[in-house]
Short mmCIF file of all heavy atoms in Angstrom, two decimals:
data_model
loop_
_atom_site.label_atom_id
_atom_site.label_comp_id
_atom_site.label_asym_id
_atom_site.label_seq_id
_atom_site.Cartn_x
_atom_site.Cartn_y
_atom_site.Cartn_z
N PHE A 812 72.74 60.73 -51.46
CA PHE A 812 73.94 59.91 -51.55
C PHE A 812 75.08 60.75 -52.10
O PHE A 812 74.92 61.42 -53.12
CB PHE A 812 73.70 58.69 -52.45
CG PHE A 812 72.79 57.67 -51.84
CD1 PHE A 812 71.42 57.74 -52.03
CD2 PHE A 812 73.30 56.65 -51.05
CE1 PHE A 812 70.56 56.82 -51.46
CE2 PHE A 812 72.46 55.71 -50.48
CZ PHE A 812 71.09 55.79 -50.68
N PRO A 813 76.23 60.74 -51.43
CA PRO A 813 77.38 61.52 -51.93
C PRO A 813 77.89 60.94 -53.24
O PRO A 813 77.89 59.73 -53.45
CB PRO A 813 78.43 61.35 -50.82
CG PRO A 813 77.68 60.82 -49.64
CD PRO A 813 76.53 60.06 -50.17
N VAL A 814 78.31 61.84 -54.12
CA VAL A 814 78.96 61.45 -55.37
C VAL A 814 80.26 62.20 -55.46
O VAL A 814 80.63 62.96 -54.56
CB VAL A 814 78.06 61.73 -56.59
CG1 VAL A 814 76.80 60.90 -56.53
CG2 VAL A 814 77.70 63.22 -56.68
N ARG A 815 80.96 62.02 -56.56
CA ARG A 815 82.28 62.63 -56.68
C ARG A 815 82.21 64.15 -56.64
O ARG A 815 81.24 64.74 -57.08
CB ARG A 815 82.93 62.18 -57.98
CG ARG A 815 83.24 60.69 -57.99
CD ARG A 815 84.03 60.28 -59.19
NE ARG A 815 84.37 58.88 -59.14
CZ ARG A 815 85.31 58.31 -59.87
NH1 ARG A 815 86.01 59.03 -60.72
NH2 ARG A 815 85.55 57.02 -59.77
N GLY A 816 83.28 64.75 -56.12
CA GLY A 816 83.37 66.20 -56.09
C GLY A 816 82.66 66.82 -54.91
O GLY A 816 82.48 68.03 -54.87
N GLY A 817 82.24 65.99 -53.93
CA GLY A 817 81.55 66.53 -52.78
C GLY A 817 80.11 66.86 -53.02
O GLY A 817 79.48 67.51 -52.19
N ASN A 818 79.54 66.46 -54.14
CA ASN A 818 78.14 66.72 -54.43
C ASN A 818 77.26 65.62 -53.84
O ASN A 818 77.74 64.56 -53.42
CB ASN A 818 77.91 66.80 -55.94
CG ASN A 818 78.71 67.94 -56.55
OD1 ASN A 818 78.97 68.94 -55.89
ND2 ASN A 818 79.10 67.78 -57.80
N VAL A 819 75.96 65.88 -53.82
CA VAL A 819 74.99 64.92 -53.29
C VAL A 819 73.82 64.82 -54.26
O VAL A 819 73.29 65.84 -54.71
CB VAL A 819 74.47 65.34 -51.89
CG1 VAL A 819 73.32 64.45 -51.45
CG2 VAL A 819 75.61 65.28 -50.88
N THR A 820 73.45 63.59 -54.59
CA THR A 820 72.27 63.35 -55.41
C THR A 820 71.11 62.99 -54.49
O THR A 820 71.24 62.12 -53.63
CB THR A 820 72.52 62.20 -56.41
OG1 THR A 820 73.60 62.55 -57.24
CG2 THR A 820 71.28 61.97 -57.27
N VAL A 821 69.97 63.66 -54.68
CA VAL A 821 68.81 63.49 -53.80
C VAL A 821 67.76 62.63 -54.51
O VAL A 821 67.39 62.91 -55.65
CB VAL A 821 68.21 64.85 -53.40
CG1 VAL A 821 66.97 64.66 -52.54
CG2 VAL A 821 69.25 65.69 -52.67
N HIS A 822 67.30 61.59 -53.81
CA HIS A 822 66.28 60.69 -54.35
C HIS A 822 65.07 60.66 -53.42
O HIS A 822 65.18 60.93 -52.21
CB HIS A 822 66.81 59.24 -54.44
CG HIS A 822 67.94 59.05 -55.40
ND1 HIS A 822 67.75 58.55 -56.65
CD2 HIS A 822 69.27 59.28 -55.26
CE1 HIS A 822 68.92 58.47 -57.27
NE2 HIS A 822 69.85 58.91 -56.45
N ARG A 823 63.93 60.32 -54.00
CA ARG A 823 62.79 59.96 -53.15
C ARG A 823 63.13 58.69 -52.40
O ARG A 823 63.80 57.78 -52.92
CB ARG A 823 61.55 59.74 -54.00
CG ARG A 823 61.03 61.01 -54.66
CD ARG A 823 60.10 60.74 -55.80
NE ARG A 823 58.89 60.03 -55.39
CZ ARG A 823 58.00 59.52 -56.24
NH1 ARG A 823 58.19 59.63 -57.54
NH2 ARG A 823 56.94 58.91 -55.80
#
Side-chain angles (χ1 to χ4, degrees):
F812 289 90
V814 296
R815 294 187 177 197
N818 299 331
V819 171
T820 300
V821 178
H822 295 261
R823 292 162 62 189

